[in-house]
């Protein structure tokens, strides 16, 4: 993936990217930092910026305004991919990916070029609802 995007696959870059690839939800900088203890936060951040610029990953803002990262499946830009809906649990702060639910198509007035779409639904996840006895 890195070579395809014209990026030299250094060990740090491979570590960060495979962490994001293997996750089923978007990861925040601190999520990645905790998992990759051997890497400094600043190195993780540098790799993330590089991957973002290359269009390999994209950023999703969660319900607290924290940026999370996930693999970009668009060709060259997020606007060309089928973006999916995310759910933010206000109780456990976890973000779920609904890969099978696409974001609704919005017809913007002429002249606007879309680069990314952030579709985040907020609420309580089933695990937290179960814990509180709601279901
Ligand atoms: Zn994308
Ligand atoms: Zn929850
Ligand atoms: Zn997602």
């Amino acid at each position: 993936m890195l070579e395809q995007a014209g990026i030299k696959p250094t060990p740090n870059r491979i570590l960060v990217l495979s962490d994001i690839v293997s996750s089923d939800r978007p990861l925040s900088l601190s999520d990645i930092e905790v998992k990759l203890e051997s890497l400094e936060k600043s190195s993780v951040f540098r790799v993330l910026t590089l991957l973002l610029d290359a269009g390999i990953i994209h950023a999703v803002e969660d319900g607290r305004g924290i940026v999370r990262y996930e693999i970009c499946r668009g060709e060259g830009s997020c606007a060309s991919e089928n973006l999916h809906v995310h759910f933010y649990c206000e109780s456990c702060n976890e973000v779920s990916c609904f890969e099978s639910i696409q974001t609704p198509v919005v017809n913007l007035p002429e002249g606007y070029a879309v680069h990314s779409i952030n579709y985040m639904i907020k609420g309580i996840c089933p695990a937290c609802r179960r814990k509180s006895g709601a279901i």
Side-chain angles (χ1 to χ4, degrees), residues 16-132:
V16 172
L17 183 57
S18 46
D19 195 20
I20 298 173
V21 171
S22 61
S23 171
D24 59 355
R25 57 186 75 229
L27 299 175
S28 67
L29 177 57
S30 36
D31 289 338
I32 298 170
E33 197 200 355
V34 168
K35 278 211 236 166
L36 306 176
E37 274 174 16
S38 58
L39 286 186
E40 291 206 21
K41 199 169 189 160
S42 58
S43 340
V44 175
F45 189 73
R46 265 201 309 276
V47 174
L48 287 172
T49 309
L50 186 83
L51 296 177
L52 267 180
D53 287 345
I56 297 176
I57 58 172
H58 60 227
V60 197
E61 218 175 273
D62 76 11
R64 286 177 297 173
I66 292 173
V67 178
R68 293 169 183 255
Y69 305 90
E70 68 180 2
I71 291 297
C72 185
R73 298 181 204 284
E75 280 163 26
S77 83
C78 289
S80 65
E81 80 185 297
N82 298 322
L83 288 161
H84 54 266
V85 168
H86 290 103
F87 187 94
Y88 174 77
C89 175
E90 290 170 324
S91 175
C92 63
N93 302 320
E94 277 299 346
V95 174
S96 309
C97 282
F98 297 138
E99 302 255 11
S100 56
I101 310 175
Q102 285 183 21
T103 54
V105 177
V106 179
N107 290 313
L108 292 179
E110 230 183 278
Y112 290 88
V114 177
H115 283 161
S116 69
I117 298 169
N118 205 354
Y119 203 94
M120 186 71 65
I121 298 172
K122 292 186 200 179
I124 309 291
C125 77
C128 288
R129 291 187 65 209
R130 234 170 271 129
K131 251 183 263 162
S132 69

